[in-house]
Amino acid sequence: AVVSTQSTGVDLLSIEFTPSNLRNLSQVIISTAWYLGAFIIIGISFGVKKWNYIFVVEGCVLALTAISVFIYPESPRFQLLKGKEKEARATFKKLSKIFKTKEISEEAELT
């Protein structure tokens, strides 16, 4: 359930942060990566003699994905819903540098 939640979080962030012309491709890449990861875990589990080690390996993968909570910024949409317009503008500014797009003007109304 936790890995599924992480997957959904990554999907939602990619939808919000990816330019509209690349959203479909990003979803295909993310979905493919998750399914390939599941098959890799299944393959590893066939080679592992003790079942406890399977949980250790899956726990390590989960820990790596959980770190993303601290790396990804809050969604600008979420910030606006919480009344944090200043923070949302700062997030948009960071994202415009990452995606090399035009920054939004200070006069632009965020809704």
Side-chain angles (χ1 to χ4, degrees), residues 85 89 93 103-109:
E85 186 175 333
R89 286 187 185 278
K93 191 173 185 176
E103 290 185 22
I104 59 170
S105 68
E106 292 295 324
E107 298 83 31
E109 183 180 350

PDB file of all heavy atoms in Angstrom, residues 85 89 93 103-109:
ATOM      1  N   GLU A  85       0.562  32.069  -1.450  1.00  0.00           N
ATOM      2  CA  GLU A  85       0.840  32.550  -2.799  1.00  0.00           C
ATOM      3  C   GLU A  85       2.321  32.858  -2.995  1.00  0.00           C
ATOM      4  O   GLU A  85       2.888  32.578  -4.059  1.00  0.00           O
ATOM      5  CB  GLU A  85       0.007  33.801  -3.098  1.00  0.00           C
ATOM      6  CG  GLU A  85       0.157  34.258  -4.530  1.00  0.00           C
ATOM      7  CD  GLU A  85      -0.749  35.415  -4.871  1.00  0.00           C
ATOM      8  OE1 GLU A  85      -1.811  35.554  -4.254  1.00  0.00           O
ATOM      9  OE2 GLU A  85      -0.375  36.172  -5.779  1.00  0.00           O
ATOM     10  N   ARG A  89       4.662  31.153  -5.907  1.00  0.00           N
ATOM     11  CA  ARG A  89       5.442  31.917  -6.895  1.00  0.00           C
ATOM     12  C   ARG A  89       6.909  31.474  -6.884  1.00  0.00           C
ATOM     13  O   ARG A  89       7.526  31.340  -7.934  1.00  0.00           O
ATOM     14  CB  ARG A  89       5.340  33.405  -6.634  1.00  0.00           C
ATOM     15  CG  ARG A  89       4.014  33.996  -7.014  1.00  0.00           C
ATOM     16  CD  ARG A  89       4.031  35.512  -6.884  1.00  0.00           C
ATOM     17  NE  ARG A  89       2.716  36.049  -7.149  1.00  0.00           N
ATOM     18  CZ  ARG A  89       2.227  36.265  -8.360  1.00  0.00           C
ATOM     19  NH1 ARG A  89       2.953  35.987  -9.418  1.00  0.00           N
ATOM     20  NH2 ARG A  89       1.025  36.762  -8.516  1.00  0.00           N
ATOM     21  N   LYS A  93       8.966  29.784  -9.884  1.00  0.00           N
ATOM     22  CA  LYS A  93      10.244  30.354 -10.341  1.00  0.00           C
ATOM     23  C   LYS A  93      11.308  29.263 -10.458  1.00  0.00           C
ATOM     24  O   LYS A  93      12.042  29.186 -11.436  1.00  0.00           O
ATOM     25  CB  LYS A  93      10.688  31.450  -9.370  1.00  0.00           C
ATOM     26  CG  LYS A  93      11.833  32.274  -9.855  1.00  0.00           C
ATOM     27  CD  LYS A  93      12.089  33.441  -8.917  1.00  0.00           C
ATOM     28  CE  LYS A  93      13.167  34.326  -9.493  1.00  0.00           C
ATOM     29  NZ  LYS A  93      13.387  35.521  -8.688  1.00  0.00           N
ATOM     30  N   GLU A 103       9.345  32.766 -16.995  1.00  0.00           N
ATOM     31  CA  GLU A 103       8.816  32.931 -15.651  1.00  0.00           C
ATOM     32  C   GLU A 103       7.506  33.699 -15.691  1.00  0.00           C
ATOM     33  O   GLU A 103       7.277  34.518 -16.570  1.00  0.00           O
ATOM     34  CB  GLU A 103       9.812  33.709 -14.778  1.00  0.00           C
ATOM     35  CG  GLU A 103      11.063  32.956 -14.429  1.00  0.00           C
ATOM     36  CD  GLU A 103      11.964  33.726 -13.472  1.00  0.00           C
ATOM     37  OE1 GLU A 103      11.475  34.616 -12.770  1.00  0.00           O
ATOM     38  OE2 GLU A 103      13.158  33.429 -13.462  1.00  0.00           O
ATOM     39  N   ILE A 104       6.649  33.426 -14.700  1.00  0.00           N
ATOM     40  CA  ILE A 104       5.406  34.183 -14.616  1.00  0.00           C
ATOM     41  C   ILE A 104       5.711  35.550 -14.032  1.00  0.00           C
ATOM     42  O   ILE A 104       6.601  35.698 -13.199  1.00  0.00           O
ATOM     43  CB  ILE A 104       4.339  33.443 -13.784  1.00  0.00           C
ATOM     44  CG1 ILE A 104       4.842  33.173 -12.368  1.00  0.00           C
ATOM     45  CG2 ILE A 104       3.897  32.175 -14.446  1.00  0.00           C
ATOM     46  CD1 ILE A 104       3.778  32.663 -11.426  1.00  0.00           C
ATOM     47  N   SER A 105       4.970  36.542 -14.473  1.00  0.00           N
ATOM     48  CA  SER A 105       5.229  37.900 -13.995  1.00  0.00           C
ATOM     49  C   SER A 105       4.686  38.064 -12.580  1.00  0.00           C
ATOM     50  O   SER A 105       3.802  37.336 -12.139  1.00  0.00           O
ATOM     51  CB  SER A 105       4.595  38.922 -14.937  1.00  0.00           C
ATOM     52  OG  SER A 105       3.184  38.820 -14.848  1.00  0.00           O
ATOM     53  N   GLU A 106       5.228  39.048 -11.893  1.00  0.00           N
ATOM     54  CA  GLU A 106       4.786  39.324 -10.525  1.00  0.00           C
ATOM     55  C   GLU A 106       3.341  39.804 -10.501  1.00  0.00           C
ATOM     56  O   GLU A 106       2.643  39.633  -9.508  1.00  0.00           O
ATOM     57  CB  GLU A 106       5.701  40.363  -9.866  1.00  0.00           C
ATOM     58  CG  GLU A 106       7.103  39.859  -9.597  1.00  0.00           C
ATOM     59  CD  GLU A 106       7.135  38.741  -8.577  1.00  0.00           C
ATOM     60  OE1 GLU A 106       6.324  38.774  -7.610  1.00  0.00           O
ATOM     61  OE2 GLU A 106       7.943  37.821  -8.731  1.00  0.00           O
ATOM     62  N   GLU A 107       2.897  40.413 -11.600  1.00  0.00           N
ATOM     63  CA  GLU A 107       1.527  40.938 -11.658  1.00  0.00           C
ATOM     64  C   GLU A 107       0.505  39.854 -11.964  1.00  0.00           C
ATOM     65  O   GLU A 107      -0.692  40.055 -11.794  1.00  0.00           O
ATOM     66  CB  GLU A 107       1.406  42.044 -12.717  1.00  0.00           C
ATOM     67  CG  GLU A 107       2.271  43.251 -12.454  1.00  0.00           C
ATOM     68  CD  GLU A 107       3.695  43.074 -12.932  1.00  0.00           C
ATOM     69  OE1 GLU A 107       3.926  42.357 -13.923  1.00  0.00           O
ATOM     70  OE2 GLU A 107       4.599  43.629 -12.285  1.00  0.00           O
ATOM     71  N   ALA A 108       0.949  38.734 -12.451  1.00  0.00           N
ATOM     72  CA  ALA A 108       0.023  37.663 -12.851  1.00  0.00           C
ATOM     73  C   ALA A 108      -0.732  37.150 -11.639  1.00  0.00           C
ATOM     74  O   ALA A 108      -0.172  36.951 -10.566  1.00  0.00           O
ATOM     75  CB  ALA A 108       0.775  36.524 -13.515  1.00  0.00           C
ATOM     76  N   GLU A 109      -2.040  36.966 -11.811  1.00  0.00           N
ATOM     77  CA  GLU A 109      -2.868  36.465 -10.739  1.00  0.00           C
ATOM     78  C   GLU A 109      -2.826  34.937 -10.742  1.00  0.00           C
ATOM     79  O   GLU A 109      -3.046  34.302 -11.767  1.00  0.00           O
ATOM     80  CB  GLU A 109      -4.308  36.947 -10.903  1.00  0.00           C
ATOM     81  CG  GLU A 109      -5.206  36.515  -9.785  1.00  0.00           C
ATOM     82  CD  GLU A 109      -6.640  36.994  -9.971  1.00  0.00           C
ATOM     83  OE1 GLU A 109      -6.887  37.811 -10.868  1.00  0.00           O
ATOM     84  OE2 GLU A 109      -7.478  36.521  -9.212  1.00  0.00           O
TER      85      GLU A 109
END
